[in-house]
């Protein structure tokens, strides 16, 4: 997990949430963690939108 935390802090892509999430999934699958599905939910500070998934 330290490698993933280091990657998030130093080497993760910054071009958008979709790209970051896809790259994160690859990072956790690479060392052998079995992932069949993944979902990301974010809370937003917006007067008309409460979240994004």
């Amino acid at each position: 997990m330290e490698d993933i935390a280091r990657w998030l802090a130093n080497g993760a892509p910054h071009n958008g949430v979709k790209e970051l999430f896809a790259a994160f999934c690859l990072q956790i699958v690479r060392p052998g963690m079995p992932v069949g599905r993944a979902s990301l939910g974010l809370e937003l500070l917006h007067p008309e939108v409460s979240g994004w998934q």
Side-chain angles (χ1 to χ4, degrees):
M1 295 308 276
E2 288 180 27
D3 291 338
I4 294 171
R6 192 174 302 111
W7 174 81
L8 281 168
N10 300 320
H14 297 83
N15 296 330
V17 174
K18 290 180 182 181
E19 182 180 341
L20 175 61
F21 186 60
F24 175 76
C25 290
L26 290 175
Q27 287 293 319
I28 61 175
V29 169
R30 189 171 291 151
M33 185 177 293
V35 176
R37 291 181 200 198
S39 178
L40 173 67
L42 301 172
E43 291 289 324
L44 301 176
L45 292 173
H46 190 280
E48 296 177 3
V49 179
S50 63
W52 180 81
Q53 183 165 350

